[in-house]
Amino acid sequence: MFKAIGAVEGHAERVWVDSSPSNGLISESPYDKLWERASTELAGDVHFYDYSSDCEDYSIFPEAKFISEFGYQAHASYLAYEPVTVTEDRHKDSEFMQFRQRHENGNAQIEAMISRHFALPVTCGDTSDVKETERMGAYDQYLYLSGIQQGRCYETALNRWRQLRSSPTAMTMGILYWQLNDIWEGPSWSSVEWGGRWKPLMYSVKRSYAPVVLTPSGKPQGETFEVWSVNDVMKDLPITYAVYLVPWKATSVLTKEQLIGTHTETIPAGSSKVLQQFDIASVLQDSSQTPSSRCTRTSCFVVITGQYVAEVDSSYAAIPQSAFFLDTFNNIDLADAPAFAISNMRQQSTHSVSFTVSANVTSPFLFLELNNNNNNSQETADRSHSSNAEDGVNGANAGWFSDNNFLALANEDYTLTYHAVEAVDAGVFAQQLQVRSLQSVTTSCE
């Protein structure tokens, strides 16, 4: 078998793995694999699936050398489901939603995963008399939360394993997630849903896999958190980073008064490193001279920014911004619903449009998408109708944004580009574009 593989590959010494996970061979003749505890941290590669623990607890992820498969489920978006459903299907517990779930207890696991960190959306009023569009709204918001929580799970896992790159007991050198795309509109582990739309997860993993990252390590409601840097570039990189403690309701963000740490340090090539550790109680205690204006776990959050000297021309390159939340969003006191502004809409090419988005208050998990209304009529924009699948996610609206599913800081401008699979017109795009954030989810009828 080894000789046959070598002959095909053209290299007799080619290293290969005949299954995943694998701990290798006991012997080649006779051919005898080491199957006992095939997925182990000590040798070979690891598959990791844990649906009962909190996926935002970094300590549940094993110190493995190569993670060849891991993942968590989320539902497809409302816009993916809408063309293939009728009104009675659009409820999280509908027969349609149960039928499309092919993983045992999958829907219950998704809901439990969301509930650990977010308040579930509610429909207000007498449910027997509630407007259909309101019920659709609660369903839409639930699907949005499932995608946001999925992204948080993968982000926590990827951050942790990349931080373990230089750990003597782990030396994690590879992470593959399950899975990329879908074969139909339904709940799955995918980051791209049927038809080509990127789910919130795809944007999370894009940032998490950046060659140079600054990431937090800590548990919501824990006592401390750390700031790590990972450098996958094959040269030492001088980086400058800053850590801020920011009130959720502040209208000016990343100010000198909010700065709690900054430093310049060289990160060795191909390594991970702890840069700084913070005691949360002390940071909160020092956040103001007066107790009445002092930050709490529910009123403030941490932002980490940085830059490094780029490889090519020695200019500075920005490191993706990251955040650490001091409590779960079940408890966090967010600012009121934001007012979003879209400006500077420009046709970049036949398949791309650029624009600027901003929010007047800090808006976690800002998410942009194009509705299924390709004719731009108010009737087809109503989310209680059924549209033609060929006009929805299966063609005209397949594409992705240069960034999405991010923490939008108050009154900051974010210039983005939308890349479409098919030709896109800036005017039509502007009519279809919709934006939301966590404040868009109705969690109380008060």
Side-chain angles (χ1 to χ4, degrees), residues 135-400:
R135 189 167 70 84
M136 295 303 101
Y139 175 57
D140 178 24
Q141 293 165 13
Y142 178 76
L143 300 177
Y144 161 77
L145 283 181
S146 82
I148 296 304
Q149 183 59 71
Q150 183 190 35
R152 292 286 296 157
C153 294
Y154 285 68
E155 182 179 329
T156 304
L158 292 170
N159 287 352
R160 175 58 173 167
W161 281 318
R162 293 194 68 189
Q163 290 164 359
L164 291 174
R165 175 180 179 132
S166 295
S167 167
T169 57
M171 298 184 68
T172 305
M173 291 294 179
I175 315 160
L176 301 177
Y177 72 89
W178 182 262
Q179 69 196 66
L180 179 63
N181 55 358
D182 279 333
I183 61 170
W184 71 350
E185 303 89 337
S188 80
W189 299 260
S190 76
S191 56
V192 179
E193 63 189 18
W194 167 251
R197 272 198 184 97
W198 284 20
K199 292 164 70 173
L201 171 59
M202 194 65 173
Y203 299 100
S204 294
V205 299
K206 178 185 176 184
R207 290 189 294 269
S208 294
Y209 277 122
V212 182
V213 293
L214 287 161
T215 55
S217 179
K219 299 179 182 181
Q221 303 171 323
E223 296 181 358
T224 64
F225 73 92
E226 297 170 334
V227 176
W228 286 71
S229 178
V230 182
N231 173 17
D232 271 347
V233 178
M234 289 297 99
K235 65 176 289 187
D236 297 351
L237 291 181
I239 71 163
T240 300
Y241 71 92
V243 185
Y244 299 86
L245 182 66
V246 182
W248 281 106
K249 296 183 179 179
T251 54
S252 297
V253 294
L254 307 190
T255 65
K256 182 178 179 181
E257 293 73 25
Q258 296 163 356
L259 187 67
I260 60 174
T262 183
H263 196 58
T264 297
E265 190 161 348
T266 296
I267 310 303
S271 72
S272 60
K273 185 176 183 179
V274 180
L275 300 176
Q276 203 166 355
Q277 184 181 76
F278 293 88
D279 178 82
I280 294 174
S282 297
V283 168
L284 296 176
Q285 178 72 24
D286 296 342
S287 62
S288 175
Q289 298 300 314
T290 61
S292 62
S293 60
R294 191 169 292 155
C295 271
T296 67
R297 290 177 178 272
T298 59
S299 69
C300 295
F301 64 101
V302 173
V303 175
I304 306 167
T305 66
Q307 58 183 3
Y308 66 96
V309 178
E311 280 190 281
V312 179
D313 56 5
S314 296
S315 62
Y316 281 96
I319 299 172
Q321 174 186 290
S322 61
F324 179 69
F325 306 121
L326 303 173
D327 207 328
T328 67
F329 284 95
N330 289 318
N331 303 320
I332 285 173
D333 185 20
L334 295 176
D336 292 337
F340 298 114
I342 303 293
S343 59
N344 302 323
M345 188 75 66
R346 293 181 55 197
Q347 187 83 45
Q348 293 290 99
S349 72
T350 56
H351 287 74
S352 63
V353 175
S354 67
F355 61 97
T356 299
V357 61
S358 63
N360 65 330
V361 296
T362 294
S363 304
F365 313 112
L366 182 145
F367 194 68
L368 300 133
E369 55 194 346
L370 300 185
N371 63 38
N372 290 336
N373 170 23
N374 292 298
N375 296 319
N376 300 320
S377 69
Q378 186 60 43
E379 180 182 358
T380 56
D382 185 343
R383 290 192 157 197
S384 65
H385 88 296
S386 290
S387 69
N388 188 327
E390 293 181 358
D391 292 333
V393 295
N394 297 328
N397 292 347
W400 63 95

Side-chain angles (χ1 to χ4, degrees), residues 106-124:
N107 287 354
Q109 291 165 355
I110 291 173
E111 186 166 340
M113 191 167 65
I114 298 170
S115 299
R116 290 189 185 101
H117 296 273
F118 299 96
L120 295 176
V122 296
T123 301
C124 300

Side-chain angles (χ1 to χ4, degrees), residues 343-344 354-358 402-403 406 412-417:
S343 59
N344 302 323
S354 67
F355 61 97
T356 299
V357 61
S358 63
S402 55
D403 199 10
F406 58 87
E412 291 286 317
D413 288 339
Y414 297 89
T415 299
L416 308 174
T417 301

